[in-house]
Amino acid sequence: MDKKSISLFFALMSIANENAAGFTVNAESLQPVKKGYAVALAETQNSFNGYGLLKVISFVQKNAGRVNAFGGWLDEKTGRYYWDATVICEDLQTAVDLGRRNGQIAIFDLENLQEIRL
């Protein structure tokens, strides 16, 4: 693992600790994304714990032109914290289509903080 990946790992763990319920941050700046529709990608589905975060970091780095955000969220039923490689779409229909292609049950409206079931 290179220095950049290690740095990202600890930065994202810190962000998750400060945002226990969940977060979405820009993949390059690690700043919160507050507008658009967050769509998790199937390739990082079911990524949890430290190993899952490493998987997501690697995927985002390899797909920098396609993936533009990191996401994390707590599944209160299992107590697991999930990590996602995320695409932020500006258009709702584009987000819905991408979500369906990736087998997602929902996408997230970042501006209104609402889940949109597919």
Side-chain angles (χ1 to χ4, degrees):
M1 182 185 323
D2 63 29
K3 287 183 181 182
K4 183 175 182 180
S5 297
I6 293 169
S7 177
L8 271 172
F9 179 89
F10 286 110
L12 290 166
M13 288 295 276
S14 178
I15 291 168
N17 285 333
E18 294 171 10
N19 299 278
F23 71 90
T24 304
V25 295
N26 179 282
E28 293 201 18
S29 69
L30 299 185
Q31 293 301 305
V33 180
K34 298 180 180 184
K35 197 171 185 181
Y37 303 94
V39 182
L41 298 178
E43 292 93 339
T44 58
Q45 191 86 17
N46 296 318
S47 294
F48 51 90
N49 68 35
Y51 177 76
L53 178 53
L54 291 173
K55 176 182 170 183
V56 169
I57 289 170
S58 176
F59 183 83
V60 170
Q61 288 174 331
K62 290 176 184 171
N63 293 276
R66 178 176 154 217
V67 182
N68 55 7
F70 289 102
W73 60 279
L74 176 65
D75 180 348
E76 293 182 2
K77 289 183 182 179
T78 65
R80 288 182 172 164
Y81 202 88
Y82 285 82
W83 307 98
D84 292 315
T86 305
V87 174
I88 306 302
C89 300
E90 293 181 21
D91 175 71
L92 176 59
Q93 189 58 54
T94 301
V96 167
D97 293 344
L98 182 61
R100 288 184 176 143
R101 282 196 313 273
N102 279 273
Q104 300 301 312
I105 59 170
I107 59 174
F108 196 76
D109 178 344
L110 293 162
E111 188 170 11
N112 296 301
L113 301 177
Q114 293 182 328
E115 178 182 78
I116 300 171
R117 292 286 196 167
L118 303 179

